[in-house]
Amino acid sequence: VHAVEILQEFPSLVDFKKWVFDDEVFNKNKDNPSEVKVKLIRMRERLKKEISKDFPSEVVIRAYLEPQIDSSREPFVWTCPDLTSLRKFAGEKFGWGNEQADLEILPIIKKFNLAKQANDSQPRIDTIFPSFLHSSTVPVKNRSKRLATA
């Protein structure tokens, strides 16, 4: 939601970065800030630590605008996740040992396999992970007031 609000509040990500890092830009138009800017003002010091100096990354922007698309005409086939590689990734990125990785990953692999066996086809992601976004108890229009107003 913050990302959408930021995109609505600033003409560009470069302008947002200037607002975060440049005190002169920050102090302009400080009177009567919008609700979003009030939140961002409270977050400004943290944002200075979290936003890298090369933000927004030209590499990321180029990858988004000019994605590298696989031109293969072979049908896409899902396979069971590679537990060994996932354990290694979880160890490197999250500091998890194999036991912690197994506690998190094995139930997902089990659901994947059960869903695949039941349908004899690729399961949908919402059959593997809980689906909070598609809850029938929460009408779409009431799910996020902040996102709706951004």
Side-chain angles (χ1 to χ4, degrees), residues 2-55:
H2 283 300
V4 174
E5 290 174 335
I6 288 167
L7 291 171
Q8 286 295 107
E9 190 68 32
F10 296 92
S12 73
L13 292 175
V14 172
D15 292 317
F16 170 65
K17 179 183 175 181
K18 285 178 187 173
W19 181 86
V20 170
F21 288 103
D22 186 330
D23 289 333
E24 190 176 319
V25 172
F26 175 77
N27 288 321
K28 284 183 184 175
N29 303 319
K30 208 173 177 183
D31 298 330
N32 300 320
S34 67
E35 270 187 61
V36 173
K37 277 202 176 152
V38 169
K39 291 175 195 172
L40 292 172
I41 288 168
R42 284 186 243 136
M43 298 171 55
R44 186 168 179 244
E45 290 307 313
R46 189 182 82 205
L47 290 169
K48 284 182 181 180
K49 294 174 188 167
E50 292 177 356
I51 296 174
S52 66
K53 298 295 180 189
D54 66 342
F55 176 85

Side-chain angles (χ1 to χ4, degrees), residues 84-114:
T84 304
S85 296
L86 287 172
R87 283 177 176 153
K88 182 179 176 189
F89 177 83
E92 291 171 0
K93 298 293 181 182
F94 311 128
W96 293 353
N98 285 350
E99 194 172 304
Q100 178 65 33
D102 286 353
L103 282 172
E104 301 293 335
I105 298 168
L106 287 176
I108 295 168
I109 291 175
K110 183 178 180 181
K111 286 181 183 180
F112 177 89
N113 287 331
L114 289 172

Side-chain angles (χ1 to χ4, degrees), residues 104-141:
E104 301 293 335
I105 298 168
L106 287 176
I108 295 168
I109 291 175
K110 183 178 180 181
K111 286 181 183 180
F112 177 89
N113 287 331
L114 289 172
K116 191 164 185 171
Q117 289 170 358
N119 293 347
D120 196 30
S121 65
Q122 167 60 38
R124 291 171 33 137
I125 197 164
D126 60 355
T127 63
I128 299 167
F129 296 101
S131 178
F132 300 106
L133 295 175
H134 301 290
S135 170
S136 60
T137 61
V138 181
V140 174
K141 66 179 181 177

